[in-house]
Amino acid sequence: MAPLDQGKGVWKSGKGRGRKTPKGRQVEDQAWEEVRALLGDRPRRRDLLIEFLHLIQDKYGHLSAAHMRALAEEMRLAQAEIWEVATFYAHFDLVKEGETPPPALTIRVCDSLSCELAGAQQLKAALEDGLDPSEVRVLRAPCMGRCDTAPVLEIGHNHIDNATPEKVQAAIASDDTHPHIPAYEALDAYVGAGGYEALKALRTGGNWEEVQETILASGLRGLGGAGFPSGRKWGFVRANEGPRYLAVNGDEGEPGTFKDRFYLERQPHLFLEGMLIAAWAVEAEKAFIYMRDEYPAVLKILRTEIAALEKAGIVEPGYIDLRRGAGAYICGEESAMIESIEGKRGLPRHRPPFVAQVGIFDRPTLVHNVETLYWVAKICREGPECLNATEKNGRKGLRSYSVSGRVANPGVYLLPAGSTILDIIEACGGMAEGHAFKAYQPGGPSSGLLPASMDDIPLDFDTLQPHGTFIGSAAVVVLSDKDSAKQAALNMLRFFEDESCGQCTPCRVGCEKAVKLMEADRWDQGLLEELCTTMADASICGLGQAAPNPIRLTMKHFPEEI
C-alpha cells in the first residue's frame, strides 16, 4: 500500500495555504461591539429581529453592511435572512461597502389622495429645489394618518401639518425633528374616572361568555375594515387549546384613515382596558400591539402608559409586547402582521388555517383593531346601549368616520352608522369654500370612488356591497368639481403598486400593468376589465382583490373622463 505523502491526491491540489477566515463577509470587531451595546441584555430571539434593526437604524441613520454582518453573528442567523427582512420594509436604509449613507435628515412627503389634493407634489418639488440633497433627503411616502391636516410631511420623527417650505426651514433651523406628544388622559386620570373597574370586576368573578353576549348584543363589528362580529371571534379562539395570544392591529395604513391615531392620542387607556378585557376573555398568555412606525407620538404614549400599568400592578411586566412596524401597508392584513411580529417579511399567509387556530408562533391568536377594543371597554363600562341605542336609516350603532378632502373641517366624526355622505359633509361644516361636491371615496382606496349622485346610501357594513364597494375603515375622502376622478383612481393604483408585497403574480404584475394602462389618455376598458377580473379572482389577499375597485367604479361612474 502506497504511503499517503507521495504528493498525489486532491488535498495537494490547492495553493498550499489554508484559509484564515470563513468565506464571505467578515465580522468587524468594532461593529460587533456597537451592535452588542445596542442590544444590551435583550434576549437574542428571532422574532425581535425587526426591533433590533430599528435600534441600529435609529442610532446610525442607516443599516451598514458591517452592522448587518455583526447582527447576523450575534443572532446566529444567515446574513441573507436578515437582508431579506430589512429590504422588505420602507423605513430601513441598507448601505453596502463603498456606498454613501443617506444624509442625517430625511423628509418624507405624503402623496396619498388627500395630500395630493392639497398640493403634495408641488410641496415636494419646492423642497427638492430649496434644500441641499447632501444634507437633507426628500422622499415620497404613503399615507401618514394625518389626512385632516393635509399636506403632511415627516421631518425626522416630527410631523408637520398643513406643511409649507417655510415650516420645514423653521423646523430644520431649530432642530425640531422629534415627535410632539399631545395632551392625553394618563393612567391616574383614567382610573380616577372609573377606569379599569370593569377589568378588575371581570378578573375577580366574570364570565367570558356573558361578556361575549354583551358585545354581540351591542352589534360591535371589526372596525379595521372586515366588519366581522367582534364577540364571535372570542369563542373561535377559545375553542383551540392554549397557549393563546392576542394581537392588536394598529397598522392603520389605509390612506384616508386616522381614527385609531385620533383615539390613541387622546384616550389610550380606554383602548388598553378593552385589550386586556379581550385578552382575559380568551385567556391570552401575551398581548402584542403592532403599531405603525408612522405614529411615533402614539408609540411613545403607549410605552409610557404600559410602563405605568406595570408599575400599578394592573399587568405583569412584559405581558404587553409593543412592536413597531417599519413602513409596510401590507402588514395591516392580519396574517402579514403576524409574520412581521415574528420578525419576518410581512407576506400574507394562505388560508386556511385561519389565525384563530394558527397565529403567532403557530398558536391560536385573537386579532382586533384598535378602535374595536376602544368600544369593547366602553360597552363593558356603559352597557351595549352605548352602541345599539342609536338608529338611523334602519342601521344601528355609531361609526367613526375619518373625513378629509374638499370639506370645510376635516377630522374624525362619530356619527350614526346609517349616515349618508351628505350627513357626513354637513357634520364637517359643508364643502370647502369654492368647491362643489363631485365624488367620494367611502372607505379608503380599496373602496374606489362613488359619484355625488349616489348620496343617499347609508355608509355602513353591508349597505355598499350591492354597489360594488364597501365601508372598509370608514376613510371618507371628498372630491370636488375641481378634481379629476381619473387622476384620483390613478393615485390609488400607484399606492397599491408601491405597497404590493409581490408574493403573488396577479397583484404584483396586475397593479403595475394597471398603472401603465391608466396613464394613457384613453383607457383600454376591455383590457382593464380583464385585468381586474384576474386580480380579484386570483390574488392571495385583500390588497390585490380590492385594488380593481377604483378602476371599475371610475369606468362605471365617470366614463366621460377616461
Side-chain angles (χ1 to χ4, degrees):
M1 186 169 147
L4 293 175
D5 58 353
Q6 287 185 332
K8 297 176 182 177
V10 293
W11 52 85
K12 289 288 185 182
S13 63
K15 293 178 183 174
R17 288 161 60 187
R19 296 191 65 88
K20 292 184 175 61
T21 61
K23 286 188 176 183
R25 188 178 271 127
Q26 303 304 307
V27 183
E28 296 176 17
D29 289 342
Q30 184 184 345
W32 198 0
E33 284 303 315
E34 288 167 350
V35 166
R36 279 177 168 164
L38 278 176
L39 269 53
D41 58 359
R42 294 174 178 87
R44 282 16 177 198
R45 296 201 321 261
R46 173 68 179 76
D47 62 290
L48 293 174
L49 173 58
I50 293 170
E51 297 296 308
F52 295 162
L53 292 170
H54 273 305
L55 290 174
I56 300 170
Q57 174 82 30
D58 289 348
K59 173 76 173 174
Y60 297 101
H62 63 279
L63 302 174
S64 69
H67 283 135
M68 299 275 276
R69 175 67 186 92
L71 184 62
E73 189 72 23
E74 190 64 16
M75 295 188 71
R76 313 306 298 161
L77 288 173
Q79 291 179 73
E81 201 170 340
I82 291 181
W83 200 268
E84 74 168 15
V85 171
T87 52
F88 184 87
Y89 297 94
H91 291 184
F92 295 134
D93 296 301
L94 284 76
V95 178
K96 292 183 181 177
E97 294 92 345
E99 292 181 347
T100 306
L105 198 56
T106 296
I107 296 175
R108 298 177 193 274
V109 182
C110 175
D111 66 358
S112 290
L113 185 55
S114 300
C115 286
E116 185 115 321
L117 296 177
Q121 296 301 343
Q122 296 89 317
L123 173 64
K124 182 170 178 283
L127 291 172
E128 287 170 335
D129 290 343
L131 295 170
D132 181 353
S134 66
E135 293 181 5
V136 183
R137 176 175 60 156
V138 181
L139 303 175
R140 50 85 41 201
C143 186
M144 297 176 184
R146 307 184 79 85
C147 321
D148 50 334
T149 54
V152 169
L153 58 79
E154 187 180 30
I155 178 165
H157 283 302
N158 173 25
H159 284 100
I160 296 183
D161 298 328
N162 306 119
T164 61
E166 293 73 28
K167 286 185 179 180
V168 171
Q169 294 285 6
I172 293 172
S174 60
D175 194 28
D176 187 8
T177 60
H178 302 289
H180 292 220
I181 309 302
Y184 66 90
E185 186 181 39
L187 179 60
D188 290 347
Y190 184 71
V191 169
Y196 292 106
E197 291 299 325
L199 174 67
K200 287 173 183 171
L202 291 172
R203 281 177 170 175
T204 310
N207 181 322
W208 77 270
E209 288 175 310
E210 286 178 11
V211 181
Q212 180 178 248
E213 286 308 313
T214 304
I215 299 297
L216 288 168
S218 73
L220 180 65
R221 293 171 66 169
L223 296 170
F228 191 81
S230 297
R232 199 163 290 156
K233 280 186 179 181
W234 298 1
F236 291 158
V237 175
R238 277 197 69 125
N240 297 291
E241 274 189 42
R244 307 180 194 95
Y245 296 109
L246 178 141
V248 179
N249 192 339
D251 199 66
E252 185 178 50
E254 189 76 11
T257 315
F258 48 96
K259 60 186 176 61
D260 290 353
R261 176 187 61 79
F262 178 87
Y263 289 123
L264 287 169
E265 287 184 346
R266 287 157 179 78
Q267 293 181 293
H269 282 285
L270 200 54
F271 149 71
L272 287 167
E273 183 173 11
M275 179 190 77
L276 292 172
I277 288 170
W280 162 83
V282 298
E283 296 179 335
E285 298 223 346
K286 199 177 189 72
F288 293 88
I289 302 175
Y290 188 86
M291 186 55 56
R292 66 190 309 225
D293 198 31
E294 290 84 349
Y295 288 174
V298 169
L299 281 159
K300 196 162 185 179
I301 290 168
L302 287 174
R303 283 191 200 104
T304 303
E305 297 310 310
I306 289 167
L309 284 177
E310 292 176 349
K311 191 177 177 185
I314 294 171
V315 291
E316 292 286 323
Y319 180 77
I320 302 173
D321 193 339
L322 179 61
R323 295 297 180 88
R324 179 177 161 193
Y329 164 74
I330 193 65
C331 291
E333 197 277 337
E334 62 179 9
S335 65
M337 174 191 70
I338 285 171
E339 289 285 298
S340 193
I341 288 171
E342 292 179 358
K344 297 183 282 193
R345 294 178 296 165
L347 299 177
R349 297 176 178 177
H350 291 267
R351 287 171 286 187
F354 295 94
V355 299
Q357 302 163 297
V358 182
I360 298 173
F361 310 134
D362 295 334
R363 303 308 309 163
T365 303
L366 174 67
V367 178
H368 274 313
N369 166 258
V370 168
E371 194 203 350
T372 307
L373 294 168
Y374 171 92
W375 281 106
V376 165
K378 275 185 86 74
I379 292 162
C380 288
R381 285 177 70 172
E382 301 170 21
E385 302 76 30
C386 68
L387 258 188
N388 65 19
T390 305
E391 191 167 344
K392 180 167 186 167
N393 291 331
R395 311 297 301 174
K396 284 189 175 182
L398 294 164
R399 191 74 59 244
S400 299
Y401 296 101
S402 307
V403 194
S404 59
R406 307 299 194 181
V407 291
N409 301 302
V412 173
Y413 291 88
L414 187 63
L415 299 172
S419 299
T420 65
I421 186 63
L422 294 181
D423 297 323
I424 291 167
I425 292 172
E426 186 184 345
C428 296
M431 294 292 291
E433 194 174 337
H435 291 271
F437 179 36
K438 172 182 176 175
Y440 65 104
Q441 180 181 281
S446 304
S447 67
L449 276 178
L450 294 177
S453 58
M454 296 175 69
D455 60 9
D456 58 347
I457 306 165
L459 298 193
D460 193 18
F461 296 117
D462 311 321
T463 56
L464 289 160
Q465 277 86 333
H467 305 282
T469 181
F470 50 85
I471 184 68
S473 57
V476 179
V477 181
V478 178
L479 275 63
S480 78
D481 54 341
K482 292 182 170 56
D483 303 315
S484 159
K486 177 184 177 182
Q487 290 305 314
L490 182 56
N491 176 283
M492 298 177 206
L493 262 294
R494 281 180 176 145
F495 169 77
F496 290 132
E497 178 190 24
D498 190 54
E499 293 296 334
S500 170
C501 74
Q503 180 182 191
C504 69
T505 307
C507 176
R508 181 184 70 247
V509 177
C511 289
E512 182 190 2
K513 182 75 172 171
V515 167
K516 286 192 173 82
L517 290 169
M518 292 166 75
E519 286 171 340
D521 291 335
R522 291 179 64 84
W523 286 9
D524 184 335
Q525 296 191 51
L527 190 55
L528 275 167
E529 180 52 46
E530 202 176 313
L531 185 63
C532 289
T533 301
T534 303
M535 291 172 69
D537 290 351
S539 295
I540 288 172
C541 81
L543 192 157
Q545 292 161 11
N549 288 341
I551 305 171
R552 284 176 158 159
L553 290 172
T554 303
M555 290 194 297
K556 181 177 179 181
H557 298 297
F558 305 95
E560 70 283 355
E561 290 196 25
I562 59 168

